[in-house]
Amino acid sequence: MTKIRQSFRSFLEKIRPLKNSSAAIMTSSYMFLLVMITLGMGISLPAVLGYQLVQNQSQEAGQYLQSLQKTNIDSARDWQIWMRNNVFDNETIFIKAQSHTNKTFYSEHAARVANKKHHALFFSKHYLLDMKSWYDFDSYHFYFTQSATQYGNHFTVWINLYKVVDIIRITLSTVLIVIALLLIFGIWRVWQLSQSLTRSLSEVSTAIKHNSQDLTEDGKEPNYRLPEPATPIEVHELASSFNQLLDALSEKEKLEKQFVSDASHELKTPIAAINGHLKLIARRGKQHPEIIADSLKYISSETQRMQHLVENLLNLSHAQGNPLEITLVDIGALLADISDNVAFGQTIKTDFPTDIYAKADLEQLREILLALMENASKYSPKKSTITISAWQKDGQTHISVADQGQGISPQEREKIFERFYRVDASHSSQVPGSGLGLAIVKKLADRQNIQIRISDNHPQGTIFELILQG
């Protein structure tokens, strides 16, 4: 008995959370609707059928009364003649005729029915109930009665409604059985349907829970994607919207991790060098004071290098975070402003019309061009020329920065946009910068759908070409 109680309690604990689920709500709503339909059909169908049958019996009783009224029944012989001419079911129809001479005639079994004590039903005096006791339903007998008088003769007809009652009972039982079967099948089908509709939501909810658990557990990398079920469309759109949000958050987290990783990797060398010079000053500064000035100069240089590195890392990290402000940019004015204000060792040459415009984010486009010119200056001889050109073709705006440097081989053109990549690693320490300039250019260009092409500048050097849409 204890095990049964425990099993029952365990069952209740399992189904209690389901009572507020969508499947349970849909199923209960369907049950309520079907029960109301069942009650409506269970009451209306037998009532309409019973009413129609009783109306038929009433018409039949009226026909017998009309026949009696047309017949002058003064004697037993007149009664027998009428009985022979009118055939009816003696088990269902009972007739009593009382002549003006106070003679009474009965059809078969009519005397038994006439002498019983009947109870008129509350809604009509034409409907009678005969019963032994109120709880003995088998003793219930319903009658329809109708009377008429003609030339002093009084006629009464009783019609036993047991056939009508049986038809109503059979109809009601059949309807209830059919509806009960439909109710059972309907509940099962609605439950299955509601489960299939809510299964998608359950899968999304389960995935969110697993991601939450993975976030709280050390060493586990959460899966930032939720399942996107094809149906129903509302759940698909909800999951798709969540995934867009999660993708944005995941990308932001990756940028932050990349920034920390890059910073820790690139700051190791200058920090180690500064620490080494500080130890050198502490160990030998008193005996050899001449080394202090050189060490401090080196420390200052490395500090500036670290500052520039951190600024570039921050720019790269925020390259995808800052909102775009797309406007119609005067490309000629922008290039003229840049060429007039930069201070490089090379000669700056320009070649562009004055009336050239394109849609872009002005500040980020300026940053892209400055980074490309700085890169060209780093890898070009001092007395060479850097040429800035702009033109429009086929609805696109082209901007190019051409240098006369060492050039970039086709194999390395895809790699130069990687972080900290240098074309000539053996001479990378001789070239100033952090190795992040072109990575920043690529990020900023991708945000505005600006295409970057790299080609050779004959006879020597490289051309970086920006293609702006519209």
Side-chain angles (χ1 to χ4, degrees), residues 331-385:
I331 302 298
L334 174 63
L335 297 180
D337 179 64
I338 292 175
S339 61
D340 291 341
N341 291 282
V342 293
F344 296 133
Q346 294 81 8
T347 302
I348 306 299
K349 181 181 177 181
T350 60
D351 181 16
F352 50 83
T354 56
D355 56 342
I356 182 170
Y357 296 87
K359 289 183 178 180
D361 184 298
L362 174 60
E363 294 305 320
Q364 291 196 8
L365 181 59
R366 182 192 299 273
E367 191 171 348
I368 292 173
L369 292 170
L370 285 173
L372 290 177
M373 293 182 68
E374 182 180 3
N375 184 76
S377 176
K378 289 178 184 177
Y379 292 94
S380 298
K382 292 295 181 182
K383 295 183 179 181
S384 62
T385 301

Side-chain angles (χ1 to χ4, degrees), residues 12-33:
L12 290 179
E13 290 295 329
K14 289 180 179 179
I15 66 171
R16 187 174 289 116
L18 299 177
K19 67 180 182 179
N20 292 326
S21 66
S22 299
I25 293 173
M26 292 174 64
T27 304
S28 61
S29 300
Y30 169 79
M31 286 179 61
F32 174 77
L33 180 62

Side-chain angles (χ1 to χ4, degrees), residues 368 417 441-442 445 450-454 464-467:
I368 292 173
F417 296 108
V441 166
K442 179 64 174 173
I450 297 176
Q451 187 178 355
I452 303 177
R453 289 180 185 173
I454 304 174
F464 282 85
E465 182 181 346
L466 304 178
I467 304 176

Side-chain angles (χ1 to χ4, degrees), residues 280-295:
L280 178 64
I281 293 172
R283 188 173 64 251
R284 301 179 60 186
K286 292 182 179 180
Q287 293 83 6
H288 302 279
E290 66 277 4
I291 67 172
I292 296 177
D294 294 336
S295 294

